[in-house]
């Protein structure tokens, strides 16, 4: 996604003529002005230069007179999906990337994102949206949990849009509780330019058991991306699929670091002798994040017609000597299972959308 920047760079003392050469040389319709320390000062497009020429400036004039100093930029840690959202939100074709010191380190191009999305990824996506959400009652008495709104949009719609932004196009929604609401909202996916099919459980089959109901082409093709329908995250899903492939795994489970603070002094003893005291220690665990990548062949490990959860399938894969990889995620992640996490998601997601 990031182009070579040398051709696009111009110095603060460059002329309009030099800016035009940089635009032509870079081939991405923008010149990037940097100071002597490599910090981004501003941007120039051919439109900026034309407006200066119409005002009577000549090509020998300083480019600083045309530079746009109020510009949109991405931080180096920004996900591709966030960068694309920023490009679209501000109707721009190029997005410089800067580090924490303001140094120019890259350039995102809308055309690159559109090419990736047009090409698409072949991986089927299974979104688990059949849970009853009992811990969120009474909100889920008449609304399926994945359709609860966070920052003005159903949780499941935000998940779908993030998948689409990563180039995924083939979706299977596992539904049960109040399934008609989900069907009525998403239909066949044509409103989002993707294909949506539905897995209907007559009885709950668990997060793994429902995969038995996938159509044959999904069971024999590319690795499956499986996500719980109540998880909001900024994880780069295309990179997750690359991680899975690069580690030669039969299954990959995403995990999130979770700290538990013991509010007491923990005593260490040998028999009746005191060895030590740890005051309010923090226990750090890796917890299941509800996002998985599975090779379709693993579905043969699910007992036909029986319920099975995903941890059981992963343990069965291990018992069958299949590699199960663990992918730590440091990006934003929220499992919306309780009223307090729903409220937290409202606050977090609204802030994330505002910054995108």
């Amino acid at each position: 996604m990031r182009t070579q920047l040398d051709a696009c760079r111009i110095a603060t003392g460059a002329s309009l003529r030099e800016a035009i050469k940089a635009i032509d040389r870079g081939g991405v319709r923008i010149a990037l002005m940097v100071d002597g320390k490599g910090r981004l000062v501003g941007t120039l497009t051919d439109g900026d230069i034309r407006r200066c020429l119409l005002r009577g400036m000549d090509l020998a004039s300083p480019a600083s007179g045309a530079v746009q100093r109020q510009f949109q930029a991405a931080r180096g840690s920004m996900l591709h999906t966030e960068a694309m959202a920023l490009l679209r939100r501000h109707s721009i074709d190029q997005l410089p990337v800067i580090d924490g010191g303001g140094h120019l380190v890259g350039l995102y191009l809308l055309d690159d994102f559109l090419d990736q999305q047009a090409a698409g990824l072949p991986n089927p996506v299974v979104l688990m949206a059949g849970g009853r959400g009992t811990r969120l009652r009474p909100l889920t008495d008449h609304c399926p949990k994945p359709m609860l709104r966070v920052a003005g949009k159903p949780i499941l719609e935000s998940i779908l849009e993030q998948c689409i932004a990563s180039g995924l196009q083939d979706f299977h929604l596992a539904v049960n509780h109040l399934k008609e609401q989900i069907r009525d909202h998403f239909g066949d996916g044509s409103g989002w330019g993707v294909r949506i099919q539905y897995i209907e459980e007559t009885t709950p089959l668990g997060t793994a058991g429902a995969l038995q109901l996938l159509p044959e082409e999904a069971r024999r093709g590319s690795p499956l991306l499986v996500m719980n329908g109540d998880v909001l995250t900024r994880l780069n899903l295309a990179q997750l699929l690359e991680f899975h492939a690069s580690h030669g795994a039969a299954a990959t489970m995403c995990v999130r670091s979770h700290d538990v603070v013991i509010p007491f002094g923990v005593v260490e003893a040998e028999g009746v002798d005191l060895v030590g005291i740890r005051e309010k220690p923090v226990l750090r665990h890796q917890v299941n994040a509800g996002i998985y990548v599975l090779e379709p062949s693993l579905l043969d490990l699910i007992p036909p017609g029986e319920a099975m959860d995903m941890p059981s399938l992963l343990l069965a894969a291990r018992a069958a000597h299949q590699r199960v990889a663990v992918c730590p995620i440091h990006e934003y992640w929220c499992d919306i299972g309780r009223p307090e996490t729903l409220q937290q998601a409202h606050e977090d997601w609204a802030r994330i959308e505002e910054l995108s």
Side-chain angles (χ1 to χ4, degrees), residues 14-335:
S15 66
L16 287 180
R17 181 178 287 105
E18 290 171 307
I20 292 173
K21 289 180 179 179
I23 291 173
D24 291 340
R25 189 170 60 239
V28 290
R29 305 184 301 280
I30 195 170
L32 303 169
M33 182 176 284
V34 296
D35 64 15
K37 295 184 177 179
R39 292 175 298 204
L40 183 62
V41 174
T43 65
L44 299 93
T45 65
D46 52 358
D48 295 324
I49 293 172
R50 275 194 294 271
R51 283 187 286 274
C52 286
L53 296 176
L54 288 172
R55 293 201 303 267
M57 296 174 63
D58 60 37
L59 294 180
S61 300
S64 56
V67 71
Q68 296 293 324
R69 298 178 187 273
Q70 299 295 321
F71 52 85
Q72 295 295 325
R75 293 291 178 179
S77 59
M78 181 175 282
L79 297 178
H80 289 186
T81 50
E82 295 173 301
M84 184 170 70
L86 196 58
L87 284 161
R88 286 179 163 170
R89 180 175 181 179
H90 294 281
S91 301
I92 53 180
D93 295 329
Q94 309 94 355
L95 184 67
V97 184
I98 57 176
D99 63 15
H103 302 93
L104 180 66
V105 296
L107 181 66
Y108 285 118
L109 302 175
L110 181 61
D111 287 347
D112 288 345
F113 286 112
L114 295 178
D115 289 345
Q116 179 191 28
Q117 187 168 327
L121 293 171
N123 307 82
V125 182
V126 182
L127 301 179
M128 295 296 176
R132 305 190 72 85
T134 54
R135 290 179 296 173
L136 283 166
R137 286 178 174 168
L139 294 175
T140 52
D141 285 341
H142 304 289
C143 178
K145 180 167 64 168
M147 295 301 290
L148 293 176
R149 289 182 174 266
V150 168
K153 187 180 296 183
I155 298 167
L156 194 57
E157 185 171 340
S158 292
I159 295 172
L160 179 74
E161 289 179 346
Q162 183 180 2
C163 291
I164 294 170
S166 295
L168 295 157
Q169 301 175 331
D170 183 17
F171 295 87
H172 303 264
L173 274 54
V175 296
N176 188 327
H177 178 59
L178 301 174
K179 60 189 177 185
E180 295 80 9
Q181 292 186 35
I182 297 175
R183 276 185 168 276
D184 290 346
H185 186 84
F186 293 102
D188 63 0
S190 56
W192 285 266
V194 297
R195 181 176 72 156
I196 294 178
Q197 301 180 70
Y198 295 87
I199 302 171
E200 297 195 19
E201 305 173 74
T202 54
T203 58
L205 291 173
T207 47
L211 301 177
Q212 301 174 76
L213 305 180
L214 283 169
E216 187 64 23
E217 65 269 19
R219 294 171 57 90
R220 293 291 177 261
S222 299
L224 304 167
L225 174 64
V226 182
M227 296 181 63
N228 290 349
D230 58 356
V231 169
L232 285 177
T233 180
R234 303 302 281 182
L235 173 66
N236 186 314
L237 299 173
Q239 289 183 0
L240 170 61
L241 292 166
E242 291 172 6
F243 175 95
H244 172 81
S246 67
H247 287 80
T252 296
M253 175 174 64
C254 290
V255 296
R256 178 77 172 187
S257 180
H258 180 72
D259 294 343
V260 178
V261 179
I262 306 298
F264 309 103
V266 173
V267 175
E268 299 173 344
E270 291 181 359
V272 296
D273 297 314
L274 176 69
V275 174
I277 301 174
R278 290 184 295 151
E279 285 295 335
K280 300 180 180 178
V282 177
L283 304 181
R284 178 159 294 170
H285 303 280
Q286 299 290 345
V287 300
N288 186 352
I291 306 170
Y292 315 88
V293 182
L294 303 175
E295 293 297 323
S297 59
L298 286 188
L299 304 190
D300 295 336
L301 298 176
I302 304 172
E306 295 185 19
M308 189 179 202
D309 59 24
M310 194 63 72
S312 296
L313 175 59
L314 299 182
L315 292 174
R318 286 273 300 160
H321 307 291
Q322 300 286 329
R323 186 177 194 188
V324 178
V326 170
C327 179
I329 61 174
H330 57 81
E331 296 86 354
Y332 175 81
W333 174 86
C334 183
D335 175 76

Side-chain angles (χ1 to χ4, degrees), residues 150 342-352:
V150 168
L342 177 61
Q343 180 58 40
Q344 186 64 52
H346 274 296
E347 299 171 7
D348 294 343
W349 208 249
R351 184 167 57 253
I352 289 170

